[in-house]
Protein backbone atom coordinates (compact mmCIF):
# COMPACT_ATOMS: atom_id res chain seq x y z
CA UNK A 1 0.00 0.00 0.00
CA UNK A 2 1.28 3.46 -0.88
CA UNK A 3 2.25 5.75 1.98
CA UNK A 4 0.13 8.56 0.59
CA UNK A 5 -3.27 6.97 -0.25
CA UNK A 6 -5.61 9.31 1.66
CA UNK A 7 -5.64 12.09 -0.92
CA UNK A 8 -6.39 9.70 -3.79
CA UNK A 9 -9.57 8.06 -5.03
CA UNK A 10 -8.00 5.98 -7.80
CA UNK A 11 -4.89 3.79 -7.78
CA UNK A 12 -1.65 4.09 -9.74
CA UNK A 13 -1.48 2.75 -13.27
CA UNK A 14 0.95 -0.08 -13.98
CA UNK A 15 2.97 2.19 -16.22
CA UNK A 16 3.12 4.86 -13.48
CA UNK A 17 4.46 2.26 -11.09
CA UNK A 18 7.10 1.33 -13.62
CA UNK A 19 8.34 4.87 -13.93
CA UNK A 20 7.90 5.81 -10.29
CA UNK A 21 8.92 2.81 -8.20
CA UNK A 22 12.47 2.70 -6.94
CA UNK A 23 12.35 -0.48 -4.85
CA UNK A 24 13.86 -2.52 -7.74
CA UNK A 25 17.14 -0.65 -7.13
CA UNK A 26 16.93 1.18 -3.80
CA UNK A 27 16.40 -2.06 -1.86
CA UNK A 28 20.22 -2.01 -1.52
CA UNK A 29 19.71 0.68 1.14
CA UNK A 30 17.52 -1.57 3.30
CA UNK A 31 20.01 -1.84 6.16
CA UNK A 32 20.70 1.90 6.13
CA UNK A 33 16.97 2.65 6.11
CA UNK A 34 16.44 0.38 9.10
CA UNK A 35 19.40 1.88 10.97
CA UNK A 36 18.01 5.39 10.35
CA UNK A 37 14.58 4.28 11.54
CA UNK A 38 15.94 2.83 14.75
CA UNK A 39 17.69 6.10 15.58
CA UNK A 40 14.58 8.08 14.58
CA UNK A 41 12.42 5.98 16.89
CA UNK A 42 14.80 6.74 19.76
CA UNK A 43 14.62 10.45 18.96
CA UNK A 44 10.81 10.31 18.89
CA UNK A 45 10.73 8.57 22.22
CA UNK A 46 12.97 11.21 23.80
CA UNK A 47 10.76 13.90 22.24
CA UNK A 48 7.75 12.34 23.94
CA UNK A 49 6.06 11.06 20.76
CA UNK A 50 6.58 7.36 21.48
CA UNK A 51 6.36 5.58 24.83
CA UNK A 52 9.36 3.56 25.99
CA UNK A 53 7.46 0.33 25.23
CA UNK A 54 6.48 1.49 21.77
CA UNK A 55 10.03 2.47 20.97
CA UNK A 56 11.35 -0.85 22.28
CA UNK A 57 8.95 -2.89 20.21
CA UNK A 58 9.79 -0.83 17.12
CA UNK A 59 13.51 -1.22 17.69
CA UNK A 60 13.10 -4.96 18.20
CA UNK A 61 11.05 -5.39 15.03
CA UNK A 62 13.47 -3.24 13.06
CA UNK A 63 16.45 -5.22 14.33
CA UNK A 64 14.73 -8.50 13.41
CA UNK A 65 14.06 -7.16 9.94
CA UNK A 66 17.68 -6.07 9.62
CA UNK A 67 18.85 -9.54 10.54
CA UNK A 68 16.58 -11.04 7.87
CA UNK A 69 17.89 -8.57 5.29
CA UNK A 70 21.53 -9.27 6.08
CA UNK A 71 20.93 -13.02 5.88
CA UNK A 72 19.42 -12.48 2.41
CA UNK A 73 16.08 -13.89 3.54
CA UNK A 74 13.99 -11.17 1.94
CA UNK A 75 12.90 -11.32 -1.67
CA UNK A 76 12.42 -7.67 -2.61
CA UNK A 77 11.57 -8.62 -6.20
CA UNK A 78 8.13 -9.94 -5.26
CA UNK A 79 7.12 -6.81 -3.35
CA UNK A 80 4.89 -4.17 -4.97
CA UNK A 81 5.94 -1.45 -2.51
CA UNK A 82 7.04 1.82 -4.07
CA UNK A 83 10.45 2.18 -2.49
CA UNK A 84 12.61 0.87 0.34
CA UNK A 85 11.12 3.33 2.83
CA UNK A 86 7.58 2.13 2.08
CA UNK A 87 8.80 -1.46 2.17
CA UNK A 88 10.29 -1.15 5.65
CA UNK A 89 7.23 0.63 7.00
CA UNK A 90 4.91 -1.96 5.48
CA UNK A 91 6.92 -4.82 6.97
CA UNK A 92 6.81 -3.15 10.38
CA UNK A 93 3.10 -2.51 10.15
CA UNK A 94 2.51 -6.15 9.41
CA UNK A 95 4.18 -7.16 12.70
CA UNK A 96 3.30 -4.20 14.93
CA UNK A 97 0.14 -2.60 13.53
CA UNK A 98 -0.60 0.90 14.84
CA UNK A 99 2.72 1.34 16.67
CA UNK A 100 4.51 1.05 13.33
CA UNK A 101 2.19 3.70 11.93
CA UNK A 102 3.65 6.18 14.45
CA UNK A 103 7.25 5.84 13.20
CA UNK A 104 6.97 8.33 10.36
CA UNK A 105 5.89 11.14 12.74
CA UNK A 106 7.84 14.31 11.92
CA UNK A 107 9.85 12.58 9.21
CA UNK A 108 9.59 12.74 5.43
CA UNK A 109 10.94 10.37 2.83
CA UNK A 110 12.87 13.42 1.66
CA UNK A 111 15.11 13.68 4.72
CA UNK A 112 14.98 9.90 5.04
CA UNK A 113 16.30 9.13 1.55
CA UNK A 114 18.99 11.81 1.81
CA UNK A 115 20.13 10.22 5.07
CA UNK A 116 19.96 6.63 3.83
CA UNK A 117 21.91 7.36 0.68
CA UNK A 118 24.63 9.22 2.58
CA UNK A 119 24.95 6.23 4.88
CA UNK A 120 25.09 3.87 1.89
CA UNK A 121 27.72 5.97 0.12
CA UNK A 122 29.80 6.26 3.30
CA UNK A 123 29.85 2.54 3.86
CA UNK A 124 30.80 1.78 0.27
CA UNK A 125 33.41 4.50 0.04
CA UNK A 126 35.10 3.12 3.14
CA UNK A 127 35.36 -0.28 1.53
CA UNK A 128 36.54 1.23 -1.78
CA UNK A 129 39.33 2.87 0.24
CA UNK A 130 40.50 -0.59 1.23
CA UNK A 131 40.33 -1.70 -2.41
CA UNK A 132 42.54 1.20 -3.47
CA UNK A 133 45.03 0.32 -0.74
CA UNK A 134 45.17 -3.23 -2.09
CA UNK A 135 46.02 -1.92 -5.58
CA UNK A 136 48.80 0.20 -4.07
CA UNK A 137 50.04 -2.88 -2.26
CA UNK A 138 50.04 -4.91 -5.50
CA UNK A 139 51.94 -2.17 -7.34
CA UNK A 140 54.53 -1.95 -4.58
CA UNK A 141 55.04 -5.67 -4.53
CA UNK A 142 55.42 -5.66 -8.34
CA UNK A 143 58.08 -2.97 -7.93
CA UNK A 144 59.85 -4.97 -5.19
CA UNK A 145 59.80 -8.16 -7.25
CA UNK A 146 61.51 -6.38 -10.15
CA UNK A 147 63.76 -3.84 -8.45
CA UNK A 148 66.36 -3.93 -11.23
CA UNK A 149 64.05 -4.15 -14.23
CA UNK A 150 64.27 -1.32 -16.74
CA UNK A 151 61.67 -0.43 -19.36
CA UNK A 152 61.63 2.19 -22.07
CA UNK A 153 59.77 5.32 -20.97
CA UNK A 154 57.59 6.80 -23.68
CA UNK A 155 56.31 10.13 -24.86
CA UNK A 156 54.01 10.15 -27.89
CA UNK A 157 54.32 6.36 -27.60
CA UNK A 158 57.87 6.75 -28.95
CA UNK A 159 60.75 5.44 -26.88
CA UNK A 160 61.98 8.49 -24.99
CA UNK A 161 64.20 7.69 -22.01
CA UNK A 162 64.69 4.51 -20.01
CA UNK A 163 63.11 4.24 -16.55
CA UNK A 164 63.12 1.61 -13.85
CA UNK A 165 59.99 -0.55 -13.97
CA UNK A 166 59.59 0.29 -10.28
CA UNK A 167 59.44 3.96 -11.27
CA UNK A 168 56.48 3.13 -13.53
CA UNK A 169 54.78 1.28 -10.64
CA UNK A 170 55.39 4.21 -8.31
CA UNK A 171 53.88 6.64 -10.81
CA UNK A 172 50.55 4.83 -10.46
CA UNK A 173 51.00 4.70 -6.68
CA UNK A 174 51.14 8.52 -6.71
CA UNK A 175 47.89 8.68 -8.69
CA UNK A 176 46.19 6.26 -6.33
CA UNK A 177 47.40 8.23 -3.31
CA UNK A 178 45.65 11.29 -4.72
CA UNK A 179 42.53 9.19 -5.32
CA UNK A 180 42.64 8.15 -1.67
CA UNK A 181 42.96 11.72 -0.52
CA UNK A 182 40.00 12.71 -2.73
CA UNK A 183 38.02 9.89 -1.13
CA UNK A 184 38.87 11.06 2.36
CA UNK A 185 38.02 14.62 1.49
CA UNK A 186 34.64 13.60 0.09
CA UNK A 187 33.90 11.53 3.18
CA UNK A 188 34.29 14.63 5.34
CA UNK A 189 31.80 16.71 3.32
CA UNK A 190 29.39 13.81 3.00
CA UNK A 191 29.27 13.12 6.71
CA UNK A 192 26.48 15.55 7.69
CA UNK A 193 23.06 14.32 8.73
CA UNK A 194 19.85 15.44 6.96
CA UNK A 195 17.47 13.57 9.31
CA UNK A 196 15.17 15.94 11.18
CA UNK A 197 14.82 18.32 8.24
CA UNK A 198 11.39 16.92 7.37
CA UNK A 199 10.02 17.38 3.87
CA UNK A 200 11.83 20.69 3.34
CA UNK A 201 11.19 23.13 6.19
CA UNK A 202 12.33 21.27 9.30
CA UNK A 203 10.36 19.06 11.65
CA UNK A 204 7.87 20.32 14.22
CA UNK A 205 8.79 17.71 16.85
CA UNK A 206 11.51 18.60 19.37
CA UNK A 207 14.05 15.91 18.38
CA UNK A 208 17.72 16.42 19.17
CA UNK A 209 19.34 16.67 15.73
CA UNK A 210 22.87 16.64 17.18
CA UNK A 211 22.20 13.41 18.97
CA UNK A 212 20.58 11.84 15.88
CA UNK A 213 23.61 12.80 13.81
CA UNK A 214 25.99 11.37 16.35
CA UNK A 215 24.12 8.10 16.72
CA UNK A 216 24.18 7.63 12.97
CA UNK A 217 27.94 8.25 12.93
CA UNK A 218 27.74 11.66 11.27
CA UNK A 219 29.99 14.55 12.25
CA UNK A 220 26.96 16.78 12.76
CA UNK A 221 23.53 17.73 11.41
CA UNK A 222 23.02 19.52 8.04
CA UNK A 223 22.42 23.17 8.85
CA UNK A 224 19.69 24.11 6.39
CA UNK A 225 16.61 21.97 5.84
CA UNK A 226 16.02 23.09 2.23
CA UNK A 227 19.59 22.28 1.32
CA UNK A 228 19.66 19.04 3.32
CA UNK A 229 16.81 17.41 1.40
CA UNK A 230 17.85 18.59 -2.04
CA UNK A 231 21.63 18.36 -1.97
CA UNK A 232 23.13 15.56 -4.05
CA UNK A 233 26.66 17.00 -4.22
CA UNK A 234 27.88 13.98 -2.29
CA UNK A 235 26.69 11.67 -5.07
CA UNK A 236 28.25 13.89 -7.72
CA UNK A 237 31.52 13.96 -5.81
CA UNK A 238 31.44 10.21 -5.43
CA UNK A 239 30.93 9.90 -9.20
CA UNK A 240 33.77 12.31 -9.90
CA UNK A 241 36.18 10.60 -7.51
CA UNK A 242 35.19 7.25 -9.02
CA UNK A 243 35.67 8.60 -12.54
CA UNK A 244 39.14 9.93 -11.76
CA UNK A 245 40.15 6.72 -10.05
CA UNK A 246 38.79 4.66 -12.96
CA UNK A 247 40.65 6.92 -15.39
CA UNK A 248 43.88 6.07 -13.55
CA UNK A 249 43.08 2.36 -13.55
CA UNK A 250 42.29 2.64 -17.25
CA UNK A 251 45.60 4.29 -18.11
CA UNK A 252 47.42 1.60 -16.18
CA UNK A 253 45.40 -1.00 -18.10
CA UNK A 254 46.32 0.66 -21.37
CA UNK A 255 50.04 0.57 -20.51
CA UNK A 256 49.80 -3.08 -19.55
CA UNK A 257 47.85 -4.01 -22.70
CA UNK A 258 50.66 -2.50 -24.73
CA UNK A 259 53.43 -4.08 -22.63
CA UNK A 260 51.67 -7.44 -23.06
CA UNK A 261 51.29 -7.07 -26.84
CA UNK A 262 53.29 -9.27 -29.20
CA UNK A 263 55.02 -6.12 -30.42
CA UNK A 264 56.35 -5.08 -26.99
CA UNK A 265 56.45 -8.46 -25.27
CA UNK A 266 57.54 -6.91 -21.96
CA UNK A 267 55.24 -9.07 -19.89
CA UNK A 268 52.76 -11.85 -20.04
CA UNK A 269 49.47 -11.86 -18.19
CA UNK A 270 48.23 -14.65 -15.97
CA UNK A 271 45.85 -17.27 -17.36
CA UNK A 272 43.33 -16.38 -14.66
CA UNK A 273 42.71 -12.89 -16.03
CA UNK A 274 42.83 -13.51 -19.77
CA UNK A 275 40.62 -15.34 -22.20
CA UNK A 276 41.02 -17.22 -25.46
CA UNK A 277 39.51 -16.75 -28.88
CA UNK A 278 36.69 -18.97 -30.09
CA UNK A 279 38.35 -19.10 -33.50
CA UNK A 280 42.08 -18.50 -33.16
CA UNK A 281 43.64 -21.11 -30.90
CA UNK A 282 46.85 -19.15 -30.29
CA UNK A 283 45.15 -16.15 -28.75
CA UNK A 284 45.35 -15.05 -25.13
CA UNK A 285 43.46 -11.81 -24.82
CA UNK A 286 43.84 -9.17 -22.10
CA UNK A 287 40.08 -8.99 -21.41
CA UNK A 288 40.34 -7.95 -17.76
CA UNK A 289 42.51 -4.99 -18.73
CA UNK A 290 40.26 -4.07 -21.62
CA UNK A 291 37.26 -4.04 -19.30
CA UNK A 292 39.10 -1.89 -16.75
CA UNK A 293 39.48 0.54 -19.64
CA UNK A 294 36.06 -0.05 -21.16
CA UNK A 295 33.99 0.36 -18.02
CA UNK A 296 35.12 3.98 -17.78
CA UNK A 297 32.51 4.81 -20.41
CA UNK A 298 29.52 4.06 -18.22
CA UNK A 299 31.14 5.47 -15.07
CA UNK A 300 31.96 8.83 -16.70
CA UNK A 301 28.47 8.75 -18.24
CA UNK A 302 26.89 8.36 -14.81
CA UNK A 303 28.67 11.50 -13.60
CA UNK A 304 27.56 13.46 -16.65
CA UNK A 305 24.02 12.11 -16.35
CA UNK A 306 23.53 13.22 -12.76
CA UNK A 307 25.06 16.65 -13.40
CA UNK A 308 22.50 17.19 -16.12
CA UNK A 309 19.66 15.83 -13.97
CA UNK A 310 20.51 18.22 -11.14
CA UNK A 311 21.28 21.38 -13.02
CA UNK A 312 17.75 22.73 -13.52
CA UNK A 313 16.04 21.54 -10.35
CA UNK A 314 14.29 24.15 -8.23
CA UNK A 315 14.55 23.83 -4.46
CA UNK A 316 13.75 21.62 -2.71
CA UNK A 317 13.05 17.91 -3.40
CA UNK A 318 11.97 16.82 -6.89
CA UNK A 319 11.42 13.24 -7.99
CA UNK A 320 14.12 13.72 -10.66
CA UNK A 321 16.53 13.19 -7.79
CA UNK A 322 15.55 9.55 -7.48
CA UNK A 323 17.65 9.18 -10.66
CA UNK A 324 20.79 9.62 -8.52
CA UNK A 325 20.73 5.98 -7.42
CA UNK A 326 21.09 3.58 -10.32
CA UNK A 327 24.14 5.33 -11.77
CA UNK A 328 25.85 5.63 -8.40
CA UNK A 329 25.11 2.04 -7.38
CA UNK A 330 26.37 0.76 -10.73
CA UNK A 331 29.45 2.99 -10.47
CA UNK A 332 30.37 1.71 -7.03
CA UNK A 333 29.94 -1.90 -8.19
CA UNK A 334 32.06 -1.46 -11.31
CA UNK A 335 34.67 0.57 -9.46
CA UNK A 336 35.02 -2.16 -6.84
CA UNK A 337 35.29 -4.89 -9.48
CA UNK A 338 37.91 -2.98 -11.47
CA UNK A 339 40.07 -2.26 -8.43
CA UNK A 340 39.92 -5.90 -7.33
CA UNK A 341 40.70 -7.31 -10.77
CA UNK A 342 43.63 -4.95 -11.18
CA UNK A 343 45.17 -6.51 -8.07
CA UNK A 344 44.76 -9.96 -9.64
CA UNK A 345 46.31 -8.75 -12.91
CA UNK A 346 49.31 -7.22 -11.15
CA UNK A 347 49.83 -10.24 -8.89
CA UNK A 348 49.70 -12.76 -11.72
CA UNK A 349 51.65 -11.06 -14.50
CA UNK A 350 55.24 -11.95 -15.22
CA UNK A 351 57.73 -9.44 -16.50
CA UNK A 352 60.28 -10.42 -19.14
CA UNK A 353 63.12 -8.36 -17.69
CA UNK A 354 65.54 -9.22 -20.46
CA UNK A 355 63.23 -8.12 -23.22
CA UNK A 356 62.41 -4.93 -21.32
CA UNK A 357 66.09 -4.12 -20.96
CA UNK A 358 66.79 -4.73 -24.64
CA UNK A 359 63.91 -2.47 -25.60
CA UNK A 360 65.10 0.21 -23.17
CA UNK A 361 68.45 0.21 -24.97
CA UNK A 362 66.90 0.61 -28.38
CA UNK A 363 65.35 3.63 -30.02
CA UNK A 364 68.21 6.02 -29.17
CA UNK A 365 66.80 6.58 -25.69
CA UNK A 366 70.29 7.80 -24.66
CA UNK A 367 70.46 10.66 -27.18
CA UNK A 368 69.72 13.21 -24.44
CA UNK A 369 72.76 11.81 -22.63
CA UNK A 370 75.05 12.66 -25.52
CA UNK A 371 73.65 16.20 -25.55
CA UNK A 372 74.15 16.51 -21.77
CA UNK A 373 77.73 15.21 -22.19
CA UNK A 374 78.45 18.06 -24.64
CA UNK A 375 76.81 20.56 -22.28
CA UNK A 376 79.34 19.44 -19.64
CA UNK A 377 82.02 20.38 -22.16
CA UNK A 378 80.68 23.93 -22.33
CA UNK A 379 78.60 23.61 -25.49
CA UNK A 380 75.21 25.36 -25.30
CA UNK A 381 72.36 22.85 -24.98
CA UNK A 382 70.64 23.92 -28.20
CA UNK A 383 73.86 23.23 -30.17
CA UNK A 384 74.47 20.01 -28.25
CA UNK A 385 70.92 18.88 -29.07
CA UNK A 386 71.65 19.42 -32.76
CA UNK A 387 74.96 17.54 -32.64
CA UNK A 388 73.35 14.61 -30.83
CA UNK A 389 70.61 14.59 -33.46
CA UNK A 390 73.27 14.27 -36.17
CA UNK A 391 74.84 11.37 -34.28
CA UNK A 392 71.42 9.65 -34.20
CA UNK A 393 71.12 10.07 -37.98
CA UNK A 394 74.62 8.58 -38.43
CA UNK A 395 73.75 5.63 -36.16
CA UNK A 396 70.48 5.00 -38.01
CA UNK A 397 72.43 4.96 -41.30
CA UNK A 398 74.83 2.39 -39.84
CA UNK A 399 71.93 0.44 -38.29
CA UNK A 400 73.59 0.55 -34.87
CA UNK A 401 73.10 2.06 -31.43
CA UNK A 402 74.60 5.43 -30.52
CA UNK A 403 77.20 3.81 -28.29
CA UNK A 404 78.17 1.46 -31.13
CA UNK A 405 79.29 4.31 -33.38
CA UNK A 406 83.10 4.30 -33.64
CA UNK A 407 84.84 7.27 -32.04
CA UNK A 408 86.01 8.53 -35.47
CA UNK A 409 82.39 8.83 -36.62
CA UNK A 410 81.46 10.71 -33.47
CA UNK A 411 84.43 13.01 -33.72
CA UNK A 412 83.60 13.72 -37.34
CA UNK A 413 80.31 15.08 -36.08
CA UNK A 414 81.96 17.04 -33.30
CA UNK A 415 85.64 17.05 -32.22
CA UNK A 416 84.76 17.57 -28.53
CA UNK A 417 83.33 14.05 -28.34
CA UNK A 418 85.87 11.75 -26.71
CA UNK A 419 85.93 8.07 -25.86
CA UNK A 420 84.94 8.93 -22.26
CA UNK A 421 81.46 9.36 -23.74
CA UNK A 422 80.83 5.59 -24.01
CA UNK A 423 80.36 4.77 -20.30
CA UNK A 424 77.98 7.73 -20.10
CA UNK A 425 75.79 6.24 -22.79
CA UNK A 426 75.40 2.93 -20.96
CA UNK A 427 71.92 2.12 -19.69
CA UNK A 428 72.66 2.20 -15.94
CA UNK A 429 74.58 5.47 -16.31
CA UNK A 430 71.66 7.04 -18.13
CA UNK A 431 69.29 5.96 -15.38
CA UNK A 432 71.47 6.89 -12.43
CA UNK A 433 72.25 10.32 -13.72
CA UNK A 434 68.66 11.23 -12.97
CA UNK A 435 69.49 11.28 -9.28
CA UNK A 436 67.10 14.04 -8.36
CA UNK A 437 63.96 13.95 -6.25
CA UNK A 438 61.25 12.36 -8.39
CA UNK A 439 63.81 11.02 -10.88
CA UNK A 440 64.46 7.47 -12.01
CA UNK A 441 67.93 6.82 -10.54
CA UNK A 442 68.28 3.61 -8.59
CA UNK A 443 68.86 5.55 -5.38
CA UNK A 444 65.75 7.71 -5.78
CA UNK A 445 63.51 4.84 -6.84
CA UNK A 446 64.68 2.61 -4.00
CA UNK A 447 64.12 5.41 -1.49
CA UNK A 448 60.65 6.14 -2.87
CA UNK A 449 59.73 2.46 -2.84
CA UNK A 450 60.74 1.99 0.79
CA UNK A 451 58.95 5.15 1.84
CA UNK A 452 55.75 3.96 0.20
CA UNK A 453 56.07 0.48 1.67
CA UNK A 454 56.36 2.04 5.12
CA UNK A 455 53.41 4.36 4.51
CA UNK A 456 51.31 1.45 3.36
CA UNK A 457 52.17 -0.55 6.45
CA UNK A 458 50.84 2.19 8.68
CA UNK A 459 47.73 2.66 6.53
CA UNK A 460 46.94 -1.04 6.60
CA UNK A 461 47.71 -1.42 10.30
N1 LIG B 1 12.28 6.98 -3.65
C1 LIG B 1 12.42 8.40 -3.43
C2 LIG B 1 13.82 8.83 -3.88
O1 LIG B 1 14.64 8.00 -4.03
C3 LIG B 1 12.20 8.72 -2.00
C4 LIG B 1 11.75 10.10 -1.72
C5 LIG B 1 10.33 10.28 -2.11
N2 LIG B 1 9.88 11.59 -1.78
C6 LIG B 1 8.76 12.11 -2.31
N3 LIG B 1 8.47 13.32 -1.94
N4 LIG B 1 8.02 11.46 -3.16
O2 LIG B 1 14.08 9.99 -4.09
Amino acid sequence: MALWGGRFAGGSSDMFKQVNDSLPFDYVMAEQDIFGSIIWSRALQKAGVLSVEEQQSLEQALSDLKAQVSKGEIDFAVSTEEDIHSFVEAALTETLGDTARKLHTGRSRNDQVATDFRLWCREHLLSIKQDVLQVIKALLSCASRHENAVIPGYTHLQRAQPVYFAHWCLAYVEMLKRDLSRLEDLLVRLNQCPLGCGALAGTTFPVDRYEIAEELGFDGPCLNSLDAVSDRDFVLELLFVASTSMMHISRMAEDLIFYNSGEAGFLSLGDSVTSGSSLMPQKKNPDALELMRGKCGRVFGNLQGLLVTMKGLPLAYNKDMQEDKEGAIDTVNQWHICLCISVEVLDSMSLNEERCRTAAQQGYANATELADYLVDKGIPFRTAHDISGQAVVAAIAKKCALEELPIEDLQAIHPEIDSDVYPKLALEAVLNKRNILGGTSKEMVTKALYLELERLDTLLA
Side-chain angles (χ1 to χ4, degrees):
M1 239 249 307
L3 299 175
W4 34 262
R7 160 81 174 72
F8 291 77
S12 305
S13 81
D14 288 347
M15 196 43 81
F16 176 73
K17 278 194 70 61
Q18 272 199 46
V19 73
N20 187 58
D21 289 1
S22 54
L23 187 64
F25 49 88
D26 70 12
Y27 73 90
V28 299
M29 304 190 303
E31 295 195 29
Q32 289 77 14
D33 194 76
I34 294 169
F35 181 33
S37 293
I38 290 175
I39 302 308
W40 185 245
S41 73
R42 291 185 194 164
L44 286 180
Q45 187 267 309
K46 285 180 194 145
V49 177
L50 295 174
S51 69
V52 171
E53 297 71 40
E54 285 172 328
Q55 193 281 325
Q56 277 171 353
S57 58
L58 275 169
E59 184 156 344
Q60 188 56 54
L62 283 162
S63 303
D64 293 346
L65 187 59
K66 194 165 180 199
Q68 279 179 285
V69 171
S70 64
K71 282 190 224 141
E73 285 171 8
I74 297 202
D75 184 3
F76 293 99
V78 298
S79 168
T80 55
E81 291 299 335
E82 180 183 334
D83 55 25
I84 188 59
H85 325 294
S86 322
F87 179 93
V88 170
E89 195 172 317
L92 274 186
T93 309
E94 214 170 281
T95 24
L96 296 180
D98 267 355
T99 309
R101 296 168 68 83
K102 293 186 177 180
L103 177 64
H104 209 54
T105 313
R107 186 175 70 167
S108 159
R109 278 182 298 162
N110 298 351
D111 58 348
Q112 196 176 351
V113 72
T115 306
D116 292 0
F117 205 29
R118 281 176 191 248
L119 290 173
W120 186 90
C121 290
R122 185 176 74 195
E123 190 178 314
H124 286 80
L125 286 168
L126 287 171
S127 88
I128 290 276
K129 251 180 84 174
Q130 295 308 313
D131 296 340
V132 177
L133 285 172
Q134 291 308 315
V135 184
I136 293 182
K137 186 173 169 193
L139 280 164
L140 294 179
S141 87
C142 252
S144 311
R145 277 201 303 280
H146 301 286
E147 264 193 291
N148 295 314
V150 182
I151 55 170
Y154 296 85
T155 62
H156 312 274
L157 206 54
Q158 308 270 321
R159 284 179 196 153
Q161 288 169 350
V163 291
Y164 278 104
F165 173 69
H167 199 53
W168 176 90
C169 296
L170 287 163
Y172 283 100
V173 169
E174 286 301 311
M175 295 176 227
L176 297 181
K177 277 162 62 187
R178 288 195 297 275
D179 292 338
L180 273 183
S181 111
R182 265 183 284 271
L183 263 167
E184 272 153 20
D185 205 36
L186 144 65
L187 277 162
V188 171
R189 263 187 303 281
L190 169 148
N191 213 26
Q192 304 288 317
C193 183
L195 203 57
C197 285
L200 76 162
T203 190
T204 52
F205 294 88
V207 292
D208 183 340
R209 291 202 53 221
Y210 283 95
E211 195 170 55
I212 293 173
E214 199 185 320
E215 290 197 58
L216 287 170
F218 287 106
D219 295 329
C222 296
L223 298 180
N224 179 291
S225 61
L226 281 172
D227 175 51
V229 296
S230 52
D231 165 39
R232 293 294 180 274
D233 299 7
F234 64 98
V235 190
L236 287 166
E237 282 197 60
L238 176 150
L239 292 169
F240 173 73
V241 174
S243 295
T244 308
S245 159
M246 287 286 292
M247 179 270 290
H248 289 147
I249 292 298
S250 175
R251 292 188 74 178
M252 179 172 84
E254 172 57 23
D255 273 351
L256 293 175
I257 289 169
F258 168 60
Y259 295 167
N260 174 64
S261 68
E263 280 63 26
F266 297 168
L267 52 86
S268 52
L269 298 169
D271 284 357
S272 56
V273 293
T274 46
S275 82
S277 155
S278 57
L279 184 115
M280 300 162 283
Q282 83 283 11
K283 293 283 289 267
K284 184 170 163 188
N285 297 325
D287 302 48
L289 290 167
E290 287 167 348
L291 286 162
M292 281 153 65
R293 193 176 57 182
K295 282 175 187 292
C296 284
R298 65 208 265 192
V299 170
F300 298 0
N302 290 335
L303 168 62
Q304 193 64 22
L306 186 60
L307 276 170
V308 176
T309 297
M310 293 304 293
K311 88 167 186 63
L313 297 186
L315 290 185
Y317 179 83
N318 300 270
K319 200 56 168 275
D320 314 45
M321 287 154 63
Q322 179 168 284
E323 288 294 308
D324 63 351
K325 309 231 170 30
E326 281 162 291
I329 294 166
D330 176 51
T331 293
V332 167
N333 286 339
Q334 301 308 322
W335 191 11
H336 168 67
I337 290 172
C338 287
L339 291 167
C340 294
I341 196 70
S342 65
V343 171
E344 288 193 18
V345 170
L346 291 165
D347 284 351
S348 63
M349 72 186 196
S350 57
L351 198 66
N352 184 339
E353 292 198 20
E354 228 176 273
R355 188 145 172 155
C356 292
R357 176 167 286 265
T358 308
Q361 281 166 316
Q362 290 166 346
Y364 304 99
N366 52 1
T368 318
E369 244 33 62
L370 177 55
D372 287 353
Y373 167 84
L374 291 165
V375 167
D376 282 345
K377 301 228 162 185
I379 296 173
F381 178 73
R382 203 37 71 214
T383 316
H385 182 283
D386 196 60
I387 296 166
S388 175
Q390 290 173 42
V392 169
V393 174
I396 291 173
K398 284 210 156 176
K399 295 194 170 60
C400 68
L402 218 44
E403 64 277 22
E404 284 163 1
L405 276 179
I407 191 67
E408 305 79 54
D409 291 24
L410 287 170
Q411 280 175 345
I413 295 167
H414 200 281
E416 288 274 8
I417 307 179
D418 225 327
S419 53
D420 63 347
V421 74
Y422 292 112
K424 305 215 157 133
L425 296 177
L427 185 63
E428 252 73 27
V430 173
L431 289 160
N432 290 328
K433 202 143 182 244
R434 278 143 183 93
N435 198 22
I436 186 97
L437 179 68
T440 196
S441 74
K442 183 85 198 167
E443 186 185 337
M444 286 299 162
V445 173
T446 308
K447 236 189 223 167
L449 178 56
Y450 286 97
L451 260 175
E452 291 308 327
L453 282 167
E454 251 173 50
R455 257 176 55 93
L456 183 74
D457 266 356
T458 43
L459 286 173
L460 288 175

